[in-house]
Amino acid sequence: MLPVLNVGPFAIQLPGLILLAGIWFGLNRSESFARRRGLDVEQINALILYSLLGGLVGARLGYIAQNLAAFSQKPLDALALSPQMLDGASGLVAMLLIGLIYGQRKHLHLWQTLDALTPALGVLMMSVALMNLASGSGFGIPARLPWSIYLFDEYRHPTQLYDFGMAVVIWRIVESRPGDFSLPDGKRFLMFVSLSAFARIAVDVFRSDRALIGLGGVGIEQLTAWFILVAAVWLMQRKKTIQTGGKI
Amino acid sequence: MLKWLFEKEGLWRVLPVTGIFIILFSVWYSPVNSDTGRTLPKVGFAAPPFSLLDASDQTLSLQELQGSVVILNFWASWCPPCRAEMPAFQQVYDLHKDEGLVILGVNTTYQDDGESALRFAEERGVQFPVLFDSDGVVSRRYQIQALPTTFFIDRKGIIRQVIYGGPLNEGLLKVEVQKLLGEGN
């Protein structure tokens, strides 16, 4: 666990640095994929950029809107460079909205665009796992295994490394054969979603900080991931049915 | 691999079913709340207990403050963001001290000068207790890697938020404090 990296007089927040590196590398991969698929790279880049910026602004506005009273006396505090002052849900909604608006205005093909974004999402999943390793989030249950890591006064399952390993495998799968046009549009994205959801369900078995719901101790994230998995598999089947004229 | 997976129709149908089995397995396998009650400087854990001397040589213990919302701010007088955020802490303290907010400014005296720290606190009109970690034991216990580092502890003594770096502004502090104060006893 290394949440802060001290470089001379500067204290660099390592998880943030990993996220930035992940976004940069992910953009690179998506750009390369889009080029090989013959898509408009400029438009894909602009879509990602606007969505990210919109998400960031949306997350800050959402946070301020929810805590308006706290900023009424010093409104300029709302502009502070604090990553804590972001609301994830608002950011996600803003990001999706802006992505949709941009995509519609530029007449981007939804499934082809999602396929082009898939390599970036794959890289992002890897960086999230490394961010968790740096910050100590998503840590595992105590276990004495040859590969256990010592964290928070205990030998534990290295769940962040399990996550990272899974993310690397999934990324390699979804990034392979970029020039293969025999795969239906959207299949690559849906495979990524299904495999990532399945990985979440599997790794959460070993996580200590699982949030539980009252169904005999079922994890919220596991259950959410399962619904996402079912939806993605159903969509894959549906796309196939449509493509083959109703015959699977 | 992608092509192979794509062609494996059955695999995709089996995944959701396998997912259900894994979820059921995890309910049985994972020792839920295996870390409950552990004291660690990490969100979700009980704040490690400590006792330190304040400016008037009185001992102040964190354990005595159960029932209050506590902000634990590790700082040094030579650290610019620590200096910059001190007025915001004072403002929030003035605003919420009667509702059960306690702010402890833990000076990392082992890497600072106690007199300079005290002078700085007086100049800035700091009213909340300033404690002196002369041997660095508390800073080590809280795994301080950068200054300032701020812990937000709820009324039950559980760490709810850790912020590395600064300066923190009044708005952010108010949001965090009001959230914890609003939870009641």
Side-chain angles (χ1 to χ4, degrees):
Chain A
M1 181 185 148
L2 190 65
V4 178
L5 194 63
N6 289 299
V7 181
F10 302 105
I12 297 166
Q13 310 245 353
L14 196 56
L17 194 67
I18 292 169
L19 181 65
L20 283 179
I23 290 172
W24 175 80
F25 186 53
L27 272 170
N28 238 300
R29 297 316 306 155
S30 270
E31 196 179 307
S32 153
F33 181 87
R35 190 168 290 120
R36 294 183 72 169
R37 296 288 288 197
L39 299 172
D40 190 328
V41 176
E42 297 287 313
Q43 284 189 342
I44 298 288
N45 274 343
L47 172 80
I48 296 175
L49 189 72
Y50 292 146
S51 300
L52 283 177
L53 285 175
L56 204 60
V57 173
R60 176 57 62 92
L61 288 176
Y63 181 88
I64 302 300
Q66 286 171 41
N67 304 290
L68 214 50
F71 295 92
S72 57
Q73 283 177 327
K74 286 194 173 176
L76 284 179
D77 280 358
L79 302 174
L81 291 170
S82 296
Q84 292 81 19
M85 286 167 51
L86 297 171
D87 178 58
S90 311
L92 193 65
V93 170
M95 196 166 76
L96 290 176
L97 265 178
I98 286 174
L100 273 173
I101 292 168
Y102 182 84
Q104 280 201 331
R105 289 190 70 163
K106 297 288 175 188
H107 305 293
L108 295 179
H109 187 282
L110 176 69
W111 291 109
Q112 283 180 0
T113 308
L114 288 175
D115 276 347
L117 295 179
T118 301
L121 294 173
V123 173
L124 208 59
M125 294 302 274
M126 290 193 286
S127 33
V128 168
L130 291 180
M131 276 169 70
N132 283 343
L133 187 65
S135 68
S137 303
F139 56 93
I141 52 175
R144 275 274 183 179
L145 300 162
W147 58 88
S148 290
I149 52 171
Y150 192 74
L151 192 64
F152 308 137
D153 287 350
E154 279 277 10
Y155 284 95
R156 297 173 183 276
H157 275 284
T159 38
Q160 301 98 333
L161 294 178
Y162 297 164
D163 268 333
F164 180 71
M166 293 268 203
V168 170
V169 172
I170 293 169
W171 170 62
R172 285 313 301 147
I173 291 172
V174 296
E175 244 218 36
S176 62
R177 304 168 74 109
D180 189 344
F181 287 88
S182 65
L183 284 171
D185 290 335
K187 188 83 182 183
R188 199 177 290 267
F189 172 74
L190 290 172
M191 280 168 91
F192 166 77
V193 174
S194 309
L195 292 172
S196 299
F198 188 77
R200 178 77 282 121
I201 293 169
V203 174
D204 268 16
V205 174
F206 307 104
R207 254 177 76 174
S208 177
D209 58 347
R210 289 187 302 142
L212 303 172
I213 53 172
L215 290 173
V218 175
I220 292 172
E221 284 185 33
Q222 275 184 317
L223 203 60
T224 311
W226 186 79
F227 280 116
I228 291 172
L229 170 64
V230 169
V233 169
W234 177 75
L235 268 172
M236 268 200 276
Q237 296 297 323
R238 196 176 130 82
K239 279 181 78 65
K240 190 146 200 152
T241 311
I242 292 166
Q243 211 164 44
T244 55
K247 291 173 195 160
I248 299 174
Chain B
M1 185 71 172
L2 187 73
K3 191 85 176 163
W4 179 82
L5 274 173
F6 172 62
E7 282 161 358
K8 290 283 168 195
E9 272 298 320
L11 176 86
W12 299 103
R13 292 196 185 126
V14 164
L15 271 188
V17 181
T18 315
I20 283 285
F21 279 112
I22 294 175
I23 291 173
L24 292 175
F25 172 73
S26 65
V27 171
W28 167 77
Y29 172 76
S30 302
V32 172
N33 298 331
S34 56
D35 288 295
T36 304
R38 201 180 285 266
T39 60
L40 282 171
K42 167 94 188 116
V43 172
F45 290 94
F50 66 84
S51 299
L52 284 174
L53 292 176
D54 65 10
S56 50
D57 275 346
Q58 299 288 309
T59 303
L60 209 150
S61 302
L62 182 68
Q63 358 355 346
E64 292 167 6
L65 300 172
Q66 280 242 345
S68 302
V69 168
V70 179
I71 296 181
L72 205 55
N73 175 241
F74 287 84
W75 67 283
S77 63
W78 49 260
C79 148
C82 305
R83 296 170 72 93
E85 68 184 10
M86 217 43 108
F89 280 110
Q90 186 55 48
Q91 290 283 340
V92 174
Y93 182 66
D94 287 341
L95 213 59
H96 293 293
K97 64 183 173 195
D98 296 333
E99 296 164 55
L101 171 68
V102 177
I103 297 181
L104 301 177
V106 180
N107 176 255
T108 53
T109 320
Y110 64 98
Q111 52 170 335
D112 196 3
D113 170 34
E115 280 181 26
S116 304
L118 200 56
R119 202 166 44 245
F120 168 74
E122 281 169 2
E123 279 168 14
R124 294 293 166 109
V126 171
Q127 301 290 311
F128 53 82
V130 172
L131 308 175
F132 297 93
D133 186 18
S134 307
D135 48 12
V137 169
V138 176
S139 297
R140 274 197 297 280
R141 193 171 294 166
Y142 275 79
Q143 296 173 11
I144 301 302
Q145 297 179 14
L147 291 177
T149 297
T150 308
F151 294 82
F152 295 82
I153 302 166
D154 70 13
R155 294 184 195 269
K156 291 174 185 157
I158 307 294
I159 297 172
R160 299 289 295 278
Q161 170 78 288
V162 184
I163 299 180
Y164 304 99
L168 304 186
N169 63 66
E170 211 179 303
L172 173 63
L173 285 173
K174 277 183 192 168
V175 171
E176 294 299 329
V177 165
Q178 284 165 1
K179 205 160 50 185
L180 296 181
L181 285 173
E183 289 177 359
N185 288 302

